[in-house]
Amino acid sequence: MSPFDSKVFWGALYLTPAVWALFLFLGVLRLKLEYMPIVIAALMLSGANLLGYVKCSNSAQEKVRSMVSRGFKD
């Protein structure tokens, strides 16, 4: 994977919950309460998606490190 693709992927992944949080803030300011359940659900889902990718990314890096260290010790 190219560094550009990685930056676009992670940038979009971090930007999506921020945009939904902005929509939530604007909805509260404008008192558009009929849109709040949709915005809250989208914020929760995009946040869960971000959390999952971050945890998997960290877990994958740790697994590779342990496999490399075990390989060199054996």
Side-chain angles (χ1 to χ4, degrees):
M1 182 174 7
S2 73
F4 176 75
D5 291 339
S6 179
K7 287 179 184 179
V8 169
F9 173 77
W10 286 104
L13 200 62
Y14 281 109
L15 186 65
T16 305
V19 170
W20 283 113
L22 176 67
F23 287 156
L24 180 66
F25 179 72
L26 291 174
V28 168
L29 283 180
R30 299 175 120 200
L31 295 174
K32 296 283 187 174
L33 299 179
E34 63 271 9
Y35 296 116
M36 289 300 106
I38 296 170
V39 173
I40 290 170
L43 181 60
M44 289 174 58
L45 290 172
S46 62
N49 192 27
L50 173 63
L51 182 65
Y53 271 107
V54 167
K55 285 196 179 251
C56 285
S57 175
N58 292 339
S59 175
Q61 290 174 359
E62 290 174 17
K63 285 181 184 178
V64 168
R65 284 187 198 122
S66 70
M67 286 172 47
V68 168
S69 67
R70 269 188 289 131
F72 290 136
K73 288 182 183 177
D74 292 334

